[in-house]
Amino acid sequence: MHENPDDPSAVTPHENPDGSVTVTSHENPDGSVTVTPCEDGPLLLRGAFTILTQEGRSIDPGRTTVALCRCGRSATKPFCDGSHKAAGFRASSEPDSPN
C-alpha cells in the first residue's frame, strides 16, 4: 500500500482497536464505500472498507478497490480470480426483479 495523498489510487491504512485494518482511499476521501456488481462478473468494492471473516478476523485486501467473487469458482475467495469467464457465469449489473 502507498500513502501519496496526490495520487487518487493512494491508500492510508488505519489499525483499529480490535487489530483489524481499515483502508482509507483517496478516491473516496469522504470515506464512502461503493459496491458495483459487474455484468457477468465480480462485485467491485471501492473505498474505506474492512473485510472480516465470520470469526471477526481482518482480511487484508492490499488495495482500496477489490473484486469480490460472486460466481463461487475463484481459487482466491473472497476475491475474484477471473474464473467466472471460464465458468460461463451470467448475472446482470441490475437487481433481479421480484416475481
Side-chain angles (χ1 to χ4, degrees):
M1 288 189 265
H2 57 284
E3 298 186 47
N4 177 354
D6 298 324
D7 179 354
S9 67
V11 299
T12 304
H14 303 280
E15 187 166 344
N16 300 315
D18 66 359
S20 65
V21 175
T22 300
V23 178
T24 301
S25 167
H26 298 279
E27 288 178 33
N28 298 349
D30 63 351
S32 66
V33 174
T34 60
V35 179
T36 306
C38 296
E39 185 172 349
D40 303 335
L43 297 172
L44 292 183
L45 182 59
R46 294 181 178 100
F49 56 83
T50 301
I51 300 176
L52 300 174
T53 67
Q54 284 183 294
E55 293 78 29
R57 289 188 312 275
S58 181
I59 299 172
D60 180 11
R63 58 190 69 161
T64 60
T65 299
V66 297
L68 298 177
C69 176
R70 65 178 181 149
C71 77
R73 303 286 178 115
S74 175
T76 60
K77 290 182 206 77
F79 305 107
C80 175
D81 67 0
S83 294
H84 58 275
K85 294 174 192 167
F89 178 73
R90 308 291 293 168
S92 172
S93 180
E94 300 294 325
D96 290 340
S97 58
N99 293 335

